[in-house]
């Protein structure tokens, strides 16, 4: 039915959401208002916390088109709810890209017409009960007045997460207006139709839709932040508790909780405010600048950047600027520092967008896209350092996106509206709190029944019954849980690791797979020139150390090295890509760039010129002095000008230039890039027959290989034609020149760190943009792939000529033990027997980005199997790195990602734990940033994560026991119509609990990574056993104490006149006439107070675990000192009563013999607790759990941790075969271990056989 329709917003994107339309209902609103009054405002709070309840209780369902309120739900694993109010604005037109001057005065076309996709279906200004209003007030009214002969159009939209969604009649859904890309304009159309600029009217009209060009990070006022913080359910519960305690005259404790809450709120407000201010300052810096805008009448006017809209043409100043928007260059060249986005401070050359000639447009003239055309796009927030321009013509760029739609805006949005951290610990913590609430409910009913049976007055019954709830749910729990994370964050800061997302520290403790970028992460950032191998006549010469020779100075090979790069001079220093820099420096040539003055004298951009130094030029025969001078002059004029540059593209894996040698009529094209790509574009006869063997030889040794090629261009191709020529025309029919071999050395720390991770059973994966065989070689060199293991390369081919997609399998090399590949079994995670020898060879999959994309599309179920043993992923584009991380997370791995910031931002952000080795602004996208530029930070982060996670478990268990111990004490005392005193509560909660909690969290991380991982959640056998046994122990000993004291011969109902100690000074003469309304002072209270106080300390020591994840507790001197001081104080007041302390704590004197018996009870309690926790739990139960993991769950199917198969079979027999592993990767590993056709043999091909009813399936076909 139409009323029940559900729309999908942002389909297939990261922010995909379900949308339902609702209309406000008056009678429901009235009913909810009445409910709010009846519940004292609690219903309003509930609706504030639950947006879906709020909408469904006050509105009725309607179509999305007629909605007044939209209810949104994310489609990710969190399934969060949001609501947004639909607004209506009036505008003089319906489509922001239409020109007002060309519209007719006739009414708008029908809703289905493409000309007005954003118009409202109803012409009535008051349709559907909306009150139309202009989005920006007076500007819209002014436009409507100016174009009064147009019928005002209703535009319906809502704003969510700083993004406006407009109703689109064509799609029958809400849609985001991002900018010029919405038109899907071709490159030639941008030049022909969008290069003239907009009129002021058009600019104002578009601004109605796109808003001001500003990334507005509004810093909320302290009052707003305070209200939002106070309305947190936890603080509402605290407010309820304080009111209740005040009613029961527990003023001291109530004040203490208020003080704690105020400190907590103030700290939280300070932190949040500081983060907002920092983000605001980062965004606001250079966000509003003065820009020159070209108008449609060829005028250039100065305006503020906030007025820019998509379609405006801006002039880039010659002295550079900070880009206030995303814009595409249509003329000139810019040198840009994009460190804010990429993490690389290397300047990037941006060239103007190609404008294909009419005859060349079929293949080349594709739709403009910021990602595909990023080499022509200036991104918001990046720094334009220099520009190069024509005489009389300016360096111009067309604005394509503004505000939050820009690259910088998207980054800021991801910071402002982050995804919640999904971690089992937090989900289990909520479940545990619900269990405590259930326990509180039992106590609540028990106290009511008991009080009614004893005839207690109603007021006391209500207060004491509700008091049970406040006791069971500890008010200090959030602060206690945060303490361990804060301490871990400080320790990380000391070792140079900075964290912007502290909640992720706990998740780091669960990481079992780490992806590493190669260049700059595993290997040194810079490349060293190893040598060159030239080609002449289709044959390789012998390799040479350098090309810095007189006989090669005028060769095409050296000319290619000297010209095919994107280097530029900034303040007199050569700057650019490190590879280009090394290559150019190896030639010994000189680069000269034209100054602004020189450029201004010519009618075109002056080319960059390269020339060899005088001493490199070949010497001429000594004939005569006059001839020598002439020859020297001619020789000195040998130089090459770079006429046009086609920048390096990661998608194309190559770059090329068009150059002209001084004195030559024809131009030359030079190209460099990935050897396989370059060879495929060269004439076959120029590529040596042994090209593949030579290349494989170098890549297996771990060298970075670059291929060079050349082509002589025709004399008809002049300068003007070159500026507009198709790139594909230049990059074809080239002559292969040879190879440049560069060495990328491993960082000294890399092998050791990877070995540590392997020992800890943490999988390591390489994700790189480099060559496949080079990556495999580096993986072997650093120990990621052991020398005896087999590497299987998956080469995938897309569907072609009616044939299905297929994967061919081959070895990367020929290991000595390949004949036994068929016997390979999936390895199991061996946590207790790391020393056992491997009896089976392991295998690793390797694939490139192209194969990864094909497998992901045509073999989605195969991809999950491949990533179980995928170790090398080469030639991966940035979005493919992110996709790989998502795939690994899809099979339940906890994924860490370590990169140098360049092209890794998406993967760093998506991983459970992203560690950036770059300290630049791009590290904002990464939860962690390391000051140490090597991977030694990874084990340190995991160790601290494990320590923080175990600390969280310890603290949570302790806080749960604290609540239950206090709950038991109060419940037992309720049976004799007593309770704990105000100062007793205060002493327990402040002096014992807070001191112990904040010191027990100080244990630093264990010095090395162990193979065992901490549990990921509270709901696990050993942890539940630990908590439940300690609860039973505490319950048992408190009950024994409570019943035993009543059986003592001296026991009687205590009154101020009671003196069982036979001490005259303990006779409370002043209190003889006083009455104890709450019956606090009695023997049961005093006995339980002593025992329970020691129980808090006992469970704190028992739960404060050390090895293997944290340092032992005895090394945590603040905790030892606090516990010892509290033990001493409690023993002191127990055996040497001090009258003033006893009066404050409202404890009474008991006989010395009873104190000794209490000491025995406490000692036996401590012994039993330690015995159960240390012996039964740590020694027996954990080993049982690990054994079950090994025999039931082939844990991380890591090539690094093989388990003896005989032991595996024995364990498998001991376990019920129906036991299914929890993690998906374990389940897949179990399946594959029984599959005789896995891994695929090198003589097989896997073909996709699409069957819609069953999804994607595949057949394995053997070839002889």
């Amino acid at each position: 039915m139409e009323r029940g329709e559900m729309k999908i917003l942002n389909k297939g994107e990261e922010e995909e959401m379900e949308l339902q339309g609702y209309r406000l209902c008056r009678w429901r609103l009235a009913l909810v208002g009445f409910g709010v009054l009846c519940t004292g405002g609690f219903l309003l709070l509930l609706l504030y916390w639950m947006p879906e309840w709020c909408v469904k209780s006050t509105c009725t369902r309607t179509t999305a088109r007629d909605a007044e309120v939209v209810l949104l739900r994310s489609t990710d694993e969190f399934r969060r709810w949001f609501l947004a109010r639909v607004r209506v604005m009036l505008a003089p037109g319906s489509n922001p890209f239409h020109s007002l001057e060309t519209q007719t005065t006739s009414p708008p076309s029908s809703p289905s017409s493409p000309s007005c996709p954003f118009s409202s279906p109803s012409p009535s200004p008051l349709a559907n009960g909306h009150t139309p209003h202009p989005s920006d007030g007076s500007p819209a009214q002014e436009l409507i007045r100016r174009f009064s002969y147009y019928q005002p159009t209703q535009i319906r939209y809502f704003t969510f997460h700083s993004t406006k969604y407009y109703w689109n009649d064509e799609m029958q859904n809400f849609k985001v207006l991002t900018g010029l890309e919405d038109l899907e304009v071709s490159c030639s159309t941008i030049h022909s139709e969008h290069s003239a600029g907009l009129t002021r009217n058009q600019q104002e009209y578009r601004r109605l839709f796109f808003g001001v060009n500003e990334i507005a990070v509004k810093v909320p006022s302290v009052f707003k932040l305070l209200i939002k913080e106070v309305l947190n359910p936890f603080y509402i519960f605290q407010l309820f508790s304080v009111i209740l305690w005040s009613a029961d005259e527990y003023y001291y404790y109530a004040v203490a909780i208020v003080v704690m809450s105020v400190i907590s709120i103030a700290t939280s407000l300070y932190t949040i405010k500081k983060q907002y201010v920092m983000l605001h300052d980062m965004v606001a810096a250079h966000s509003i600048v003065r820009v020159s805008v070209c108008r449609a009448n060829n005028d250039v006017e100065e305006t503020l950047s906030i007025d820019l809209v998509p379609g405006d043409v801006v002039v880039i100043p010659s002295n550079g600027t900070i880009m206030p928007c995303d814009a595409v260059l249509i003329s000139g060249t810019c040198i840009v520092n994009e460190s804010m986005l990429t993490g690389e401070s290397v300047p990037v050359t941006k060239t103007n967008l190609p404008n294909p000639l009419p005859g060349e447009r079929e293949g080349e003239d594709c739709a403009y896209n910021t990602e595909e055309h990023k080499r022509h796009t200036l991104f918001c927030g990046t720094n334009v350092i220099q520009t190069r321009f024509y005489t009389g013509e300016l360096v111009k760029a067309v604005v394509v996106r503004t505000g939050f739609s820009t690259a910088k805006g998207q980054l800021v949005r991801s910071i402002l509206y982050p995804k919640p951290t999904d971690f089992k610990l937090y989900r289990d913590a909520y479940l545990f709190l619900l269990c405590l609430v259930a326990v509180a409910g039992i106590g609540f009913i028990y106290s009511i029944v008991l009080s009614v049976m004893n005839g207690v007055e109603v007021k006391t019954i209500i207060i004491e019954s509700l008091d049970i709830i406040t006791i069971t749910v500890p008010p200090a729990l959030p602060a206690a849980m945060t303490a361990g994370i804060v301490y871990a964050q400080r320790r990380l800061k000391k070792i140079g690791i900075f964290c912007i997302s502290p909640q992720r520290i706990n998740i780091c403790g669960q990481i079992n797979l780490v992806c590493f970028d190669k260049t700059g992460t595993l290997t040194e950032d810079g490349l060293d020139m190893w040598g060159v191998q030239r080609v002449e006549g289709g044959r390789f010469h012998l390799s040479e150390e350098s090309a810095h020779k007189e006989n090669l100075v005028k060769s095409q090979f050296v000319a290619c090295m000297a010209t095919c790069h994107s280097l530029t001079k900034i303040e007199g220093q050569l700057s650019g890509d490190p590879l280009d820099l090394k290559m150019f420096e190896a030639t010994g040539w000189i680069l000269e760039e034209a100054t602004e003055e020189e450029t201004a004298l010519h009618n075109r951009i002056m080319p960059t010129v390269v020339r060899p130094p005088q001493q490199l030029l070949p010497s001429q025969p000594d004939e005569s002095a006059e001839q020598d001078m002439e020859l020297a002059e001619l020789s000195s004029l040998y130089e090459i000008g770079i006429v046009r540059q086609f920048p390096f593209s990661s998608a194309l894996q190559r770059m090329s230039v068009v150059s002209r040698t001084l004195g030559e009529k024809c131009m030359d094209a030079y190209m460099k890039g990935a050897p396989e790509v370059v060879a495929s574009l060269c004439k076959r006869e120029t590529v040596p027959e042994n090209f593949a063997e030579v290349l494989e030889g170098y890549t297996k040794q771990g060298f970075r290989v670059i291929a060079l090629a050349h082509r002589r261009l025709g004399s008809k191709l002049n300068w003007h034609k070159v500026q507009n020529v198709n790139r594909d025309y230049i990059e074809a029919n080239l002559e292969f020149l040879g190879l440049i071999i560069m060495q990328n050395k491993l960082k000294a720390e890399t092998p050791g760190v990877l070995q540590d991770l392997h020992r800890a059973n943490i999988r390591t994966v390489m994700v790189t943009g480099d060559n496949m065989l080079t990556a495999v070689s580096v993986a072997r060199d650093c120990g990621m792939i052991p020398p005896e293991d087999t590497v299987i390369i998956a080469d995938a081919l897309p569907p072609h000529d009616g044939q299905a997609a297929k994967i061919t399998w081959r070895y990367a090399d020929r290991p000595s033990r390949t004949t036994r590949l068929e016997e390979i079994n999936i390895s199991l995670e061996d946590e207790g027997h790391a020393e056992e020898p491997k009896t089976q060879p392991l295998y690793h999959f390797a694939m490139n980005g192209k194969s990864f994309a094909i497998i992901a599309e045509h073999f989605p179920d195969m991809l999950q199997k491949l990533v179980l043993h995928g170790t090398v992923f080469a030639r991966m584009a940035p979005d493919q790195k992110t996709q790989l991380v998502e795939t690994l997370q899809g099979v339940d791995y906890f994924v860490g990602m370590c990169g140098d910031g360049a092209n890794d931002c998406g993967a760093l952000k998506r991983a459970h734990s992203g560690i950036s080795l770059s300290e630049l602004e791009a590290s904002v996208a990464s939860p962690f940033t390391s000051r140490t530029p090597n991977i030694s930070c990874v084990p340190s982060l995991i160790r601290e994560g494990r320590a923080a996670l175990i600390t969280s478990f310890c603290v949570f268990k302790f806080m749960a026991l604290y609540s239950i111990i206090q709950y038991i004490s109060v419940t037992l005392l309720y049976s004799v119509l007593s309770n704990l005193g105000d100062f007793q509560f205060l002493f327990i909660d402040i002096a014992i609990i807070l001191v112990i909690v904040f010191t027990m969290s100080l244990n630093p991380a264990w010095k090395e990574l162990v193979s065992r991982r901490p549990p990921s959640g509270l709901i696990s056998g050993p942890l539940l056993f630990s908590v439940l046994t300690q609860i039973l122990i505490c319950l048992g000993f408190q009950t024994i104490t409570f019943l035993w004291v009543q059986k003592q011969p001296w026991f009687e109902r205590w009154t101020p006149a009671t003196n069982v100690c036979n001490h005259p000074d303990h006779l409370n003469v002043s209190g003889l006439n006083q009455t104890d309304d709450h019956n606090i002072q009695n023997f049961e209270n005093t006995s339980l107070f002593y025992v329970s106080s020691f129980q808090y300390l006992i469970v704190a020591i028992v739960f404060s675990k050390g090895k293997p994840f944290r340092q032992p507790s005895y090394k945590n001197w603040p905790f030892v000192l606090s516990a010892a001081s509290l033990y001493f104080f409690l023993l002191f007041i127990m055996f040497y009563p001090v009258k003033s302390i006893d009066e404050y704590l409202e404890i009474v004197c008991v006989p010395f013999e009873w104190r000794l018996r209490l000491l025995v009870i406490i000692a036996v309690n401590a012994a039993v607790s330690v015995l159960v926790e240390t012996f039964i739990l740590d020694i027996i139960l954990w080993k049982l759990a690990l054994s079950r993991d090994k025999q039931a769950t082939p844990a991380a199917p890591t090539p690094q941790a093989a388990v003896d198969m005989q032991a595996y079979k024995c364990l498998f027999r001991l376990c019920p075969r129906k036991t299914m592993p929890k993690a998906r990767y374990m389940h897949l590993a179990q399946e594959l271990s029984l599959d005789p056709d896995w891994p695929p043999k090198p003589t097989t091909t896997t073909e996709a056989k699409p069957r819609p009813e069953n999804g994607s399936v595949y057949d394995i076909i053997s070839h002889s």
Side-chain angles (χ1 to χ4, degrees), residues 334-394:
C334 291
I335 297 162
V336 184
N337 184 336
E338 291 188 325
S339 61
M340 198 284 295
L341 294 178
T342 65
E344 282 283 357
S345 57
V346 175
V348 179
T349 301
K350 301 281 186 174
T351 58
N352 59 305
L353 188 72
N355 184 16
L357 298 172
E360 302 169 347
R361 286 180 181 174
E362 286 186 13
E364 177 71 14
D365 199 16
C366 56
Y368 169 77
N369 178 279
T370 50
E371 185 59 36
E372 290 179 19
H373 297 92
K374 61 184 177 183
R375 284 291 181 176
H376 314 292
T377 305
L378 304 171
F379 292 101
C380 180
T382 58
N383 184 10
V384 178
I385 303 168
Q386 290 180 2
T387 62
R388 304 183 70 195
F389 53 90
Y390 302 87
T391 301
E393 285 198 39
L394 302 168

Side-chain angles (χ1 to χ4, degrees), residues 343 496 498 900-901 916-924 929-933:
F498 299 91
D900 60 357
S916 170
L917 301 186
S918 164
E919 289 188 71
L920 298 165
E921 287 175 283
S923 60
V924 172
T929 303
S930 173
R931 186 179 286 167
T932 310

Side-chain angles (χ1 to χ4, degrees), residues 578-599:
L579 186 147
D580 288 350
L581 209 53
K582 281 287 182 191
M583 183 181 73
F584 183 76
E585 285 172 355
T587 64
W589 284 37
I590 298 162
L591 182 141
E592 293 178 349
E593 285 185 325
T595 61
E596 286 184 25
E597 293 77 14
E598 290 172 328
T599 305

